[in-house]
Amino acid sequence: MTAGFGRALRAHRRAARLTQAELGARVGYHHSLISKVEGGVRLPPPGLARAADVALGAGGGLLALVDDRPRGTLLSLLPGADPGVAVLPVRWPARLTARCPEHGTTGCAVPSAARARVLLARLGHEAGSDLVHVLTALLGECAAADDLATVEWALHRMAPAGSPVLLVLAAHFARVAGGLRAARGQDALGMAWLGQGLVWAAAADCPVTTADLLADAAVLTGVPA
């Protein structure tokens, strides 16, 4: 699917006589991301697929090439969110597919969406395994859905000080936020999140997460890692 979408995107862009930079400006994504998607080395974010389909007049042809499994904005899961925000239902996992930062394994049970909503309402004041599992699941879904708004919602409310596990999670959220900001051409904001992630990773004494953040920063700045 990745290569097929990339080839179709390139064909539509060239037919519209647009450069990658010009298309990026129209759809709100950096030209480097457009290049990676066209080259088949990066999955197209859902937002890019939708915007490019409209901008290039593809009539749904580009959207038909991407994963169209039901996704909704995860903001519908968050406390105080307007239930009408999500057009499609949120896919909330029953178990973690990513490695749990607390237990070091995959497959940990994730609290229900209703319970997650309660825990997220107390984000910054709540701790414990259930919250760790909710945040880990939330981050995975946000990354898959290109959902920057929810990632930053969590980052602005997390209070990880004093908990190494939450510090690592906060660093992971910051890494995703940095990548999503950079993909939108907002390199300064991307670097700011990566920098904050490095602070949290260092406080948690987590060299693996620190190395991941440094590698992302090197890519963003063009400096060899």
Side-chain angles (χ1 to χ4, degrees), residues 1 19 22 28 38 45-46 49-50 59 62-63 66 72 105 146 148 159 167 174 188 197 224:
M1 181 274 289
T19 65
E22 289 169 339
E38 287 188 353
R50 289 189 295 270
L62 289 174
L63 277 176
V66 300
T105 59
D146 192 34
L148 175 63
L167 281 166

Side-chain angles (χ1 to χ4, degrees), residues 25 34 40 54 74 81 91 103 179 185:
I34 303 294
V54 173
L74 293 173
R91 299 184 303 115
H103 301 114

Side-chain angles (χ1 to χ4, degrees), residues 12-24:
H12 280 287
R13 175 180 61 78
R14 288 177 174 173
R17 298 182 180 277
L18 295 175
T19 65
Q20 291 175 340
E22 289 169 339
L23 176 59

Side-chain angles (χ1 to χ4, degrees), residues 11-225:
H12 280 287
R13 175 180 61 78
R14 288 177 174 173
R17 298 182 180 277
L18 295 175
T19 65
Q20 291 175 340
E22 289 169 339
L23 176 59
R26 291 194 183 190
V27 298
Y29 287 85
H30 197 263
H31 65 82
S32 63
L33 177 67
I34 303 294
S35 175
K36 290 176 183 177
V37 170
E38 287 188 353
V41 298
R42 167 75 191 268
L43 286 170
L48 170 60
R50 289 189 295 270
D53 193 89
V54 173
L56 297 174
L62 289 174
L63 277 176
L65 296 173
V66 300
D67 181 359
D68 61 355
R69 289 174 297 173
R71 295 187 192 276
T73 171
L74 293 173
L75 285 171
S76 65
L77 181 70
L78 305 182
D82 179 357
V85 168
V87 177
L88 297 172
V90 171
R91 299 184 303 115
W92 188 244
R95 292 192 173 274
L96 292 180
T97 56
R99 179 177 175 274
C100 172
E102 182 174 24
H103 301 114
T105 59
T106 59
C108 290
V110 178
S112 68
R115 173 62 177 156
R117 194 178 177 90
V118 172
L119 290 169
L120 290 171
R122 292 187 50 77
L123 189 57
H125 307 281
E126 187 80 23
S129 295
D130 278 358
L131 179 63
V132 170
H133 295 156
V134 165
L135 288 172
T136 303
L138 184 68
L139 182 60
E141 294 300 308
C142 286
D146 192 34
D147 193 347
L148 175 63
T150 301
V151 172
E152 292 190 336
W153 181 95
L155 278 166
H156 287 305
R157 288 161 177 79
M158 293 177 79
S163 169
V165 173
L166 289 181
L167 281 166
V168 170
L169 260 174
H172 289 172
F173 269 83
R175 184 187 180 199
V176 170
L180 292 176
R181 282 293 182 186
R184 288 160 170 76
Q186 299 165 339
D187 290 359
L189 288 173
M191 282 300 299
W193 277 127
L194 293 178
Q196 181 59 63
L198 284 167
V199 171
W200 284 327
D205 192 22
C206 184
V208 173
T209 302
T210 297
D212 288 340
L213 286 157
L214 287 173
D216 287 358
V219 170
L220 189 54
T221 58
V223 176

